[in-house]
Amino acid sequence: MADADLDFTLLEEPLDGTAVTRNNELIARHPETGGIVIFDGRVRNHHRGRGVDHLEYAIYADLAQHEGARIVAQAAEQFELDYAHVIHRTGHLDVGEMAVWVCVGAAHREAAFAACRWIIDEVKRDVPIWKHEFYTDGTSEWVLAGQ
Amino acid sequence: MTVTVRYFAHLRAQSGRDEERVELDSSGSPGTAAASPGGGATPAALYRLLSSRYGFTLGEHVVRAAVNGRYVGWDATLADGDEVVFIPPVSGG
């Protein structure tokens, strides 16, 4: 699988349109793909019992790009993927907006499901992105994963 | 030598700054606080120094160190001009 189609993008603007376009491009480019799994992560309106109004992502871009590229490359090799693309938002996001999009294509569904799950877990563990949540009561907090 | 420390998220909030230059003396340490057993400055010792300066609440067991845009071990050797970033637990996705 030397030639898997890989991408990790950090995007400042709303990503719904970009994700749809990217998906269509990937489908057109990869007639060998039989199974596509997409994870679409959204900003929800609550966190640990508090109402969330919006959030802002802070990113250490150099390291985030490096880790993102490593993760999609490792997934492609490990799961024999045709492609693995990830787009992660930066900046201000309102409730309901797409925060992250993971799109994986493989010959068969088993690899696509497993790889998609693996990629989002790796992104949440290793890519230096931090969520600053702003609550409906006017307070805000940097989220600590696993807190 | 001098390293540049950039701060993100919790550590930016607690230090009150985006970045700063930290002077390390000729043995690679500000005093002896950041010296490794081998004599060079390490991310571990630098983090301890900055923690005592700013009262960071996140311990080394949950924070990771990066130098020049790559994760490194806590006992890596720092060099003049390095960009050092301490990575609080991430919360993307």
Side-chain angles (χ1 to χ4, degrees), chain B residues 55-89:
Chain B
F56 292 153
T57 55
L58 298 170
E60 272 171 63
H61 59 293
V62 294
V63 173
R64 279 183 279 182
V67 173
N68 301 328
R70 302 289 180 269
Y71 283 119
V72 298
W74 281 108
D75 58 353
T77 301
L78 298 177
D80 187 48
D82 278 350
E83 175 183 279
V84 183
V85 180
F86 296 106
I87 309 289

Side-chain angles (χ1 to χ4, degrees), chain A residues 101-130:
Chain A
W101 183 77
V102 179
C103 183
V104 166
H108 303 285
R109 68 184 181 282
E110 291 85 355
F113 274 116
C116 189
R117 175 63 193 261
W118 186 85
I119 288 171
I120 187 63
D121 287 348
E122 287 286 304
V123 166
K124 291 179 85 85
R125 196 185 67 182
D126 284 339
V127 178
I129 299 176
W130 298 275

